[in-house]
Amino acid sequence: MAKISVERTIGKTKKAVLGGLLGFNAEKMGKQKYKRLAISLREEDKIVGGIVGEVWTTVLFIQLFWMEQKLRGKDYGTRLIKAIEDEARKFGATRSYLDTMSFQAPGFYRACGYEEFGSIEGYPGGVTRHWFTKAL
């Protein structure tokens, strides 16, 4: 009989769950493309900003995006978004999505052409999490 086990380390379970999920997805969708992407903003050799994402099938998921405060509002963010979108298109991406907190950059993403498709309230301090998408 199967039993549920709470674990403090996730390595083995994550590997098993991911393998099972990928196998199931391949049965339903065929072989899938997957590519990780990272675009950095640098001052000499120092990374002062960047964007990290992945393309799975035909969708770019922007996972992480940050830049030093002193560089914000100078068009670097827009250029980083464009760079990762352009790179994702090379891998066949036709859509992009991301999430952000209400105190981070929802207005910025809207200005980059992203449309909100969902949100969750209830984070500490009255913060809301927002999800955005955009056709590439």
Side-chain angles (χ1 to χ4, degrees):
M1 181 158 118
K3 75 174 193 174
I4 294 175
S5 175
V6 177
E7 302 169 24
R8 300 291 179 230
T9 58
I10 66 169
K12 283 184 177 180
T13 300
K14 181 179 178 182
K15 186 175 180 178
V17 169
L18 183 58
L21 185 58
L22 291 174
F24 180 75
N25 289 348
E27 286 176 23
K28 302 297 180 187
M29 298 172 63
K31 186 176 180 184
Q32 299 156 42
K33 297 184 299 182
Y34 177 79
K35 179 70 176 174
R36 290 183 177 147
L37 306 169
I39 311 289
S40 64
L41 178 62
R42 295 173 181 256
E43 286 184 338
E44 298 185 25
D45 281 342
K46 182 183 177 198
I47 296 175
V48 294
I51 189 166
V52 176
E54 63 186 23
V55 175
W56 180 62
T57 65
T58 59
V59 179
L60 166 65
F61 172 42
I62 296 175
Q63 297 170 309
L64 305 168
F65 187 17
W66 164 84
M67 82 173 61
E68 287 187 358
Q69 186 70 37
K70 70 180 181 178
L71 299 170
R72 295 177 189 174
K74 298 181 179 182
D75 199 42
Y76 291 115
T78 303
R79 290 167 49 198
L80 283 167
I81 287 282
K82 183 179 179 337
I84 199 165
E85 289 172 348
D86 288 347
E87 198 63 25
R89 282 186 196 97
K90 293 177 186 176
F91 294 107
T94 59
R95 178 153 294 280
S96 176
Y97 80 101
L98 57 91
D99 66 280
T100 189
M101 302 303 236
S102 54
F103 65 89
Q104 291 174 329
F108 168 76
Y109 294 115
R110 285 184 188 98
C112 290
Y114 283 79
E115 296 179 11
E116 186 169 350
F117 68 90
S119 64
I120 297 176
E121 297 175 347
Y123 285 85
V127 171
T128 300
R129 188 173 190 171
H130 302 269
W131 277 267
F132 289 88
T133 188
K134 175 182 176 179
L136 298 179

